[in-house]
Amino acid sequence: MEVEIIKANPVIPGDACVDRSSRKRVAAYCRVSTDDEDQIKSYNSMVRYYTDLIKSNKEWDMAGVYADKAITGTKVDKRENFQRLIDDCLDGKIDMVIAKSIPRFARNTLDTLKYVRMLKERNIDVYFEVEKIHSLKDGEFLLTILSSVAQQEVENTSAYVRKGLKMKMERGEMVGFQGCLGYDYDPVTKTLSINEEGAEDVKYIFDRYIAGAGGCMIARELNEMGKRTIKGNKWTVSSVMGIVKNEKYKGDLLMGKTYTVDAISKRRLQNMGQEDKYYIKNHHPAIVSEDIFDKAQEIRNKRNGNRCKPSVESGSRIKYSRQYAFSSLIECGYCGKIVSRRSWHSNTNHTKTIWQCSNSTKNGKQNCPESKGVPEEVLEKAFLESYRMLCDNNNDVIDEFIKRVDKALSEDSVESKLVKAKNTDTNLRSKRSILLEKYLDGSVAQDIYETKDLELVRKLAANDAAIESLKNSVNIEKVHRIRLKEFRKVLEENRYLEKFDRSVFESLIEKVILGGYDEDGNSDPYKVTFIYRTGYKDDLYGCKTRYSNTSTNKKCSNSSDEVKAVCSNCSDDTCGDGCSFVPTKG
């Protein structure tokens, strides 16, 4: 038997190599990771070296030198020239790439293999000078081992750096300072000194915040005065609150607020206890006194009291819970925005709680000029009158409410939701255990395992927070259910409420509209419209005048005739206008 050997032809029809000249188009890639003087010299030397190397070879054509300066090798998406090199390779402009070593090409094993394989599929060779590896000729095993060593070197270096930073923080040295309004930083002595111009803005923010102004209002005022943040940007709520929360302004220093998850992704998260923190009192001159700073924190915590604690994984709030009876239920009758709760004269003995259109308070009066701040007691007394009239004139509505109460008492309680949340916790932990087993037996790749495991950890953290919230709500629900039963009894006996009851209000009211127009088209910022859960609507006009004095209770007696005398628009027709109940859709 005679066997004829057909010699291999490196140029295959249809391959990317078709119509290429005999001379290889060669490009070089070089990178330095810092911008200090020695590294820049090395960078310039490498560019000259590869330019001369390629031009001196008669079999090569110069395809360019692609160089990234002061860029880390762990994240290729941050290296613009590296990405440009890959794009040119995929466009058929390059036959071979030269890199000094594997760590200069990429310090992430997955990235190294990904791009080498990508180029290899197009018959493009990558040559690593130090290791003397040609990707087209040499096996992938050695490349994998050496790239893993490069990645381990990065992780070791990162660990050494973190340890060194911790030692500095333990000694009280300031690390990671990124600039701070009101302070100048001396890089030689590593000390902070007060910048008077910026300090005035800081004092203004604290003074206004303690006086009762919110972050939106303060930001608007600063922007109107032409003030800018330390980065030259316009002020926002977050930038204002960043000043209010910063302990540096009382002369203290907290280090370790964030931490790096891993050396490869360089992802940083808020430190919720995963790493040590370092707090130094009286570290530098204070701009505001400790009393002022503590007062600001007290106000901030009080305002944030209606929100759950941040998630450990994301640092974001998980759930919003209504703190006040009218929270999220009042809508502006002029612009349709949410009406929010505010305090007037919060620093005096004449504190007054009012509800006002958030569009007006946050974005400026010009955005909703007809809205006014309505005292909370006016809204409560308006509801009491509306409720009394309901009991007087609408027995069919009362029957419907009683049915709703019975339904509410028979529906799933918080306890059942707590059981479901605990079952979810068990399922998530089981999924995480199964995922780990699959990773250990090799059926799931490391990158897929890390992504899915992180997702499960986040879900567990959110579910744990929900469980804690539900536990706190169990006792509240028990009290609420008792009050609902009492409310049912009140409705059946057709008695009047002597004072505002949140449980009764929330069980009856779907929405409240504050402000609007009367029958003649005149604006009435103190008009209050209650939309009941049954679909009935009750309009009350001029509520501030009627309910902001002690004589209101006398006017709103149990007699329906007396109610009519007070409410000039009131009608016996339950489908009429004024204070009557008008059915609405939904």
Side-chain angles (χ1 to χ4, degrees), residues 248-396:
K248 292 184 182 69
Y249 294 112
K250 67 172 180 175
D252 295 348
L253 177 65
L254 175 62
M255 294 180 288
K257 294 179 180 178
T258 61
Y259 73 101
T260 303
V261 178
D262 61 80
I264 303 304
S265 69
K266 296 190 179 297
R267 189 163 62 103
R268 295 191 67 82
L269 293 179
Q270 183 180 357
N271 186 357
M272 305 295 295
Q274 296 89 340
E275 298 284 346
D276 293 337
K277 296 180 183 179
Y278 305 87
Y279 195 92
I280 307 172
K281 293 185 70 67
N282 302 319
H283 176 269
H284 53 269
I287 292 178
V288 299
S289 68
E290 188 169 357
D291 289 341
I292 291 177
F293 184 85
D294 291 344
K295 177 64 176 177
Q297 305 319 302
E298 181 182 343
I299 295 173
R300 184 175 65 86
N301 292 331
K302 184 177 180 181
R303 290 177 178 177
N304 290 340
N306 57 341
R307 291 171 171 86
C308 293
K309 294 181 180 180
S311 163
V312 170
E313 285 298 320
S314 65
S316 60
R317 294 187 180 105
I318 297 170
K319 184 181 178 181
Y320 170 78
S321 58
R322 297 176 59 250
Q323 183 175 2
Y324 305 103
F326 297 109
S327 297
S328 303
L329 290 183
I330 309 182
E331 177 185 296
C332 179
Y334 297 109
C335 67
K337 300 296 184 181
I338 288 293
V339 174
S340 58
R341 190 177 192 266
R342 302 179 65 202
S343 291
W344 282 353
H345 315 296
S346 58
N347 271 352
T348 70
N349 296 326
H350 307 287
T351 301
K352 191 174 187 179
T353 300
I354 61 103
W355 290 81
Q356 190 169 0
C357 174
S358 60
N359 189 22
S360 173
T361 58
K362 291 183 178 180
N363 303 320
K365 186 66 178 176
Q366 68 275 9
N367 290 279
C368 192
E370 294 182 289
S371 64
K372 303 288 184 183
V374 178
E376 189 170 71
E377 63 175 7
V378 170
L379 295 173
E380 293 177 349
K381 290 178 180 178
F383 169 71
L384 288 177
E385 180 182 331
S386 179
Y387 170 79
R388 288 166 182 164
M389 294 170 58
L390 169 69
C391 291
D392 279 342
N393 303 321
N394 294 273
N395 290 327
D396 55 335

Side-chain angles (χ1 to χ4, degrees), residues 74-87:
T74 57
K75 300 182 74 173
V76 295
D77 57 330
K78 302 295 183 182
R79 292 188 274 159
E80 294 182 0
N81 283 313
F82 181 85
Q83 293 298 331
R84 188 166 61 87
L85 168 68
I86 298 299
D87 290 340

